[in-house]
Amino acid sequence: MRDYDETIAFLGQWGPFQKTVFSLLCLSTIPNGFSAFSVLFLADTPSHCCLVPDTNLTLSWRDAIIPKEVVNGREEASRCWRYRLDVVRNLSALGYIPGLDVNLTELEQERCVDGWSYSREVYHSTIVTEFDLVCGDQWKQPFTSSVYFLGVLSGSFFSGQLSDKFGRKPVLFATMAVQTVFTFLQYFSPSWPVFSILFFVVGLGQISNYVAAFVLGSEILTGSVRVLYSSLGVCLFFAFGYMMLPVFAYFLRDWKTLLLTLSVPGLVYIPLWWFIPESPRWLLTKGRVEEAEGILREAGRKNHVEPPLFLFKDHEGENQSKAEDNHNLLDLFKTTAIRNTTLILCLVWFTLSTGYFGLSLNTSRLHGDRYVNCFISAAIEVPAYVIGWLALQYLPRRLSASASMVLGGLAVYFIQLAPPSMPGLSLGLEMLGKFGVATGTALMFVYTGELYPTVIRSTAVGVCATVSRVGSTIAPYFIHLSVYYAYLPYILLGTLAMLSALATAFLPETFRSPLPETIQQMHGRER
């Protein structure tokens, strides 16, 4: 078959049809920015201590009933222990003064048997305060993030194959509905297990519609517009959603109100079904030539151009026979060349995802206001994606991808050299590392889509996204490695980034090459 881009060249690259598809698909990714990092505020842990029931205690004993502990060299009130209430009540009734008449270190302690008192200085409520995910249940707080990313992992694995089998458009809208509905249902969660199960499904829907939108736009758009969409469009609008999250969270300090607000935008996208078409490329691989021609002729009408009398008529039989070929996950590993490409991409995607989500989820631990830090972490992605787009326009794929990972790796390596008295420098280096990782992520989405042919492109992107989500799943725990050595997470991230940069040099180059339609064309490029 003639080159697809050549066949549809009559449409041009930037007419009303392409502008509509570009804009609507980009807008569909905004809720993904909400969802991906909502856990930062939904599941943050406010300051807390044991609840002391209203009882006849003197003011001095009410202040002294919570023991003091030294944490990271600083003395602070215990979060999980208090002095035994019955003992303290007797001492208070007898008129003893804590620290003067009574040595507090000799008093017996007990756990927070009456629950906890949470600070409302930052949040009115989070799922941590709602379900008491502290002390003995503290492990549930980071695990909540991991459950979400396990859903993302599952969605990455299945969505690509479903998209290749049933079409890009049905999967896009079905998973958008899943994300919206289950985000809304989380509002009614009666317990942490129910919330987590619903969060798993939200994660499944989030990545599925993102990958479907990415592939659909990559296949409908052509030339420099396709590169603009893949590297800047979807990524930039994802970042806009991410930037809006801390703004909403700042004004909506209750986790249920925040969830309701984040679920509403999904309803706006229902009418888009009638404006976003199916991928003609995908239709052709399924032998549905008439449908593909119908979409392109309608696109020609919108662009005010006359299509050729015959578009794919002389290739209908060829496409019908190709439609009988079944392609699946195993095609990514059948030959040595494709297998090596797939394995290298899996390593790179794993590294970028671990770094991206590890650094993003670490914002609440950084010096300064958590809302401002989150906004900066999101805003730094805007120049990262712009630089990524410029690199895709003018630089070879291998060079630009490797350089972005080297930048990110070196930045996080150097964090350990920043003096403790200069927290702003550490914050700056961490944001520079996030800049490099975000740039690399945008580049690899495009690069991966260009490496694989249409018949397995969505499956390939889905598999790479699945492996990357293993990284995002462990990211909440990855940052906890600082308990053993403060800079261990940064050293590991830097090492992974350098290894991935080196491995990228062994990938085929796709700069200014047409998208392959068949596996044979992919082999031809690699030879």
Side-chain angles (χ1 to χ4, degrees):
M1 187 176 78
R2 278 190 305 161
D3 177 67
Y4 177 85
D5 290 350
E6 179 185 342
T7 303
I8 67 167
F10 72 93
L11 287 174
Q13 292 189 6
W14 195 235
F17 171 74
Q18 289 92 341
K19 290 177 182 177
T20 300
V21 171
F22 186 102
S23 302
L24 295 182
L25 287 177
C26 285
L27 287 171
S28 74
T29 63
I30 290 179
N32 293 313
F34 298 157
S35 175
F37 299 103
S38 61
V39 71
L40 280 170
F41 303 104
L42 294 175
D44 202 7
T45 305
S47 298
H48 58 276
C49 63
C50 291
L51 176 67
V52 180
D54 291 335
T55 186
N56 295 324
L57 294 180
T58 62
L59 184 60
S60 59
W61 275 108
R62 182 166 288 279
D63 292 337
I65 194 171
I66 305 299
K68 301 297 183 182
E69 296 178 347
V70 177
V71 180
N72 295 325
R74 294 184 303 174
E75 188 178 73
E76 59 182 47
S78 174
R79 296 186 170 194
C80 301
W81 296 89
R82 72 182 184 189
Y83 295 118
R84 278 188 54 177
L85 183 59
D86 56 340
V87 173
V88 170
R89 186 184 292 115
N90 291 335
L91 293 173
S92 176
L94 292 172
Y96 291 124
I97 299 175
L100 182 63
D101 301 320
V102 178
N103 185 355
L104 295 177
T105 59
E106 297 179 355
L107 293 182
E108 185 179 353
Q109 298 182 14
E110 63 182 359
R111 293 192 176 274
C112 301
V113 294
D114 295 304
W116 290 264
S117 175
Y118 296 96
S119 169
R120 294 171 61 89
E121 181 181 357
V122 178
Y123 303 105
H124 293 161
S125 68
T126 68
I127 65 167
V128 172
T129 66
E130 184 80 13
F131 305 123
D132 289 330
L133 308 183
V134 293
C135 298
D137 286 333
Q138 186 177 4
W139 63 272
K140 295 179 180 178
Q141 190 264 349
F143 189 65
T144 303
S145 300
S146 294
V147 167
Y148 172 83
F149 289 118
L150 283 172
V152 173
L153 187 153
S154 301
S156 301
F157 181 76
F158 292 110
S159 64
Q161 298 176 70
L162 291 174
S163 181
D164 282 338
K165 185 175 180 61
F166 299 106
R168 297 12 177 162
K169 181 179 175 179
V171 172
L172 169 64
F173 282 91
T175 53
M176 284 173 64
V178 167
Q179 180 181 346
T180 300
V181 170
F182 280 84
T183 299
F184 176 75
L185 291 177
Q186 284 182 288
Y187 176 92
F188 303 99
S189 301
S191 63
W192 176 78
V194 173
F195 179 92
S196 298
I197 292 171
L198 295 174
F199 212 22
F200 174 91
V201 181
V202 171
L204 188 150
Q206 186 267 346
I207 190 61
S208 298
N209 69 66
Y210 186 85
V211 170
F214 169 80
V215 174
L216 181 57
S218 298
E219 293 181 350
I220 292 178
L221 303 170
T222 59
S224 60
V225 177
R226 186 189 72 229
V227 175
L228 176 66
Y229 170 81
S230 304
S231 62
L232 191 60
V234 288
C235 297
L236 205 56
F237 278 77
F238 177 93
F240 289 156
Y242 184 7
M243 291 166 65
M244 293 164 66
L245 173 66
V247 177
F248 287 147
Y250 179 81
F251 291 103
L252 304 171
R253 303 296 181 101
D254 175 74
W255 70 275
K256 289 190 173 184
T257 307
L258 180 59
L259 270 178
L260 282 180
T261 303
L262 298 184
S263 67
V264 168
L267 301 176
V268 179
Y269 296 106
I270 295 175
L272 300 190
W273 174 269
W274 289 274
F275 296 94
I276 297 176
E278 180 57 273
S279 165
R281 287 181 187 264
W282 177 81
L283 290 171
L284 288 173
T285 65
K286 296 299 180 181
R288 294 158 62 176
V289 180
E290 291 186 4
E291 293 179 61
E293 286 192 353
I295 291 173
L296 294 174
R297 293 188 187 281
E298 177 63 18
R301 186 188 66 79
K302 292 179 178 178
N303 285 1
H304 308 292
V305 296
E306 187 67 29
L309 183 60
F310 299 107
L311 288 173
F312 305 106
K313 194 71 175 178
D314 54 334
H315 304 293
E316 186 167 350
E318 176 186 347
N319 282 291
Q320 291 281 9
S321 63
K322 285 181 180 177
E324 297 174 1
D325 296 334
N326 292 319
H327 296 283
N328 54 47
L329 180 67
L330 297 179
D331 289 315
L332 302 178
F333 302 94
K334 275 187 175 178
T335 68
T336 302
I338 297 180
R339 182 166 55 250
N340 289 342
T341 296
T342 301
L343 292 176
I344 291 173
L345 288 173
C346 286
L347 170 64
V348 173
W349 280 61
F350 173 83
T351 297
L352 291 172
S353 184
T354 304
Y356 178 81
F357 286 97
L359 294 174
S360 298
L361 295 174
N362 195 44
T363 53
S364 61
R365 298 166 174 262
L366 299 177
H367 177 76
D369 183 87
R370 66 196 70 201
Y371 297 100
V372 173
N373 288 341
C374 181
F375 184 84
I376 293 174
S377 181
I380 200 69
E381 295 186 18
V382 174
Y385 296 144
V386 172
I387 294 297
W389 171 67
L390 292 173
L392 289 168
Q393 291 288 97
Y394 302 107
L395 296 175
R397 305 296 191 242
R398 287 181 296 200
L399 173 63
S400 51
S402 296
S404 65
M405 286 182 277
V406 168
L407 173 63
L410 289 177
V412 295
Y413 264 139
F414 289 152
I415 290 176
Q416 59 187 311
L417 303 180
S421 59
M422 300 177 65
L425 178 59
S426 296
L427 177 62
L429 287 171
E430 184 149 337
M431 291 301 108
L432 182 60
K434 174 73 180 295
F435 173 88
V437 169
T439 303
T441 300
L443 292 170
M444 291 311 300
F445 257 104
V446 178
Y447 196 6
T448 302
E450 292 177 342
L451 282 168
Y452 290 98
T454 302
V455 291
I456 58 170
R457 182 174 298 117
S458 190
T459 297
V461 173
V463 166
C464 290
T466 299
V467 174
S468 76
R469 299 316 168 190
V470 175
S472 60
T473 301
I474 67 172
Y477 292 97
F478 201 85
I479 58 180
H480 283 281
L481 292 175
S482 58
V483 172
Y484 304 101
Y485 177 59
Y487 302 109
L488 182 57
Y490 300 117
I491 293 173
L492 293 177
L493 286 177
T495 302
L496 281 173
M498 293 302 181
L499 288 174
S500 297
L502 179 62
T504 302
F506 296 95
L507 290 172
E509 184 55 68
T510 64
F511 185 46
R512 292 177 179 170
S513 299
L515 289 178
E517 302 293 337
T518 65
I519 293 178
Q520 289 72 24
Q521 290 178 6
M522 183 180 181
H523 279 300
R525 169 188 286 168
E526 291 175 333
R527 285 195 295 268

